[in-house]
Amino acid sequence: MREDRFKYFSVKILHSELLLEFVLLEDFVRFLQTHRISTIFKLLNETNEVSHFAVSYKGGLMRQDSEGFENIEDYLVSRRENFPTSESFYISKKLGYKNYQEYKIALESGIENIEDFILMKSKGFIEGYAEWNKNKSFEPVFANPFELLRFALENNFENYTELKSGFEKGFKNGGIFRIATAKGFSNFADYAEAEKFGVQSFNELNKIRSNNIRDINDYHNYLDLELIKTEDTTHDQRVLQIILSKLPDGRKVSINKLIEYYTKELENYIYPDTGEMPKWFTLGFDGKESIVKFLTFNNAVKKYGHYDNDGEYFETKVIQSRTVIIDGSNVAFNSISKKEAKAKIENVILVVNELKKRGFTAITVIADASLRYRIEDKDRLQELKKLVNFIEAPAENQADIFILQLVKKNIVC
């Protein structure tokens, strides 16, 4: 802030028998300070602008060109803040810059208003600019900090620190960088690999790597079998459970037929290019006898039916004794008309009523948390809740994923 040290008097013409003129404004100011002179004349030109500063000293007159400054205090501030000329000082002052360095950066960057400069400074791009250009691994190189700021904003980075960190980890987009970081990813390579598998966190990617899962189809097969994991069953035993769950209602299936189904189902897990089973796939069966033992004594099998050792067949339970789970979001959006875009509870009620006609009584509907905001016939939601056990998936879970989690934990089945 400027401190007024001098008293000024404006004059048009100065006459003196002794007139001394300083060469430099700096010397004039030093003279004032040395002799503790505080009264100064401002010599005005025809347009009332200050052309010279002058003081009376021992009968003589000391004069100095103003060099464009309106007063000595402005000159002192200008010198302290390293402004090369009075013109740059007053332009900078008018625009709101605090010192010549800021004004110079704004000028070189082509910034037209102080708000852009404040944004650039507050986001760390002035300090970060030199660092960015020195780092040979960062591209592109920029001509000034404002170009760097615009580049960052265009690519959704919020500040220089985030931009630097994102680029060091291989991310070219700030939005993706923030999402990936929140999910535990430390670099873009891991995030891209996870995207390939359709997984949502670094922990899931670690699971893929530790189990030597090689592609997305392999991962889906792994997940399907993990969801029905019970009593430390091996993967081939879970494959047999899947077969049992798909058998017709109330049927007797011979052990040989079951083994045939099982052998064929195993082919879905074999890599077509190598003919090998996945490294993660664990085996518990070593022949017909071990399969019969599993069907006879494993508790997880009992919910599908029972094995008759004498008749050597597996008899499935009546399907009505099982719980029916409906993905309410999918059914709500399902319509005969392909042009229909809005979700309707009516669609779910129709399915529920049809199931009840066929003898199903234990029906659970699970829907996305957002469904209630998207349905067209909101008034019918209470009607549905009276007909079935209605569960809303947590906000962070999709209904289909939540259904699988509940089935895995035997919560609704």
Side-chain angles (χ1 to χ4, degrees), residues 7-20:
K7 297 176 182 178
Y8 296 93
F9 299 91
S10 300
V11 297
K12 287 288 186 179
I13 301 174
L14 290 175
H15 296 285
S16 175
E17 293 181 3
L18 176 62
L19 178 62
L20 296 178

Side-chain angles (χ1 to χ4, degrees), residues 123-180:
K123 298 289 186 179
F125 289 95
I126 292 178
E127 294 81 1
Y129 166 67
E131 180 184 44
W132 177 275
N133 280 354
K134 284 180 183 177
N135 194 323
K136 298 187 185 298
S137 64
F138 290 166
E139 291 184 356
V141 174
F142 299 96
N144 57 66
F146 193 53
E147 281 189 8
L148 180 60
L149 167 66
R150 285 186 295 187
F151 173 78
L153 296 180
E154 286 168 2
N155 289 282
N156 297 314
F157 289 99
E158 295 181 348
N159 53 56
Y160 176 74
T161 300
E162 186 180 73
L163 175 69
K164 177 190 172 186
S165 181
F167 266 67
E168 285 175 341
K169 296 173 182 178
F171 292 90
K172 306 300 181 185
N173 182 279
I176 293 175
F177 173 58
R178 289 188 292 276
I179 291 171

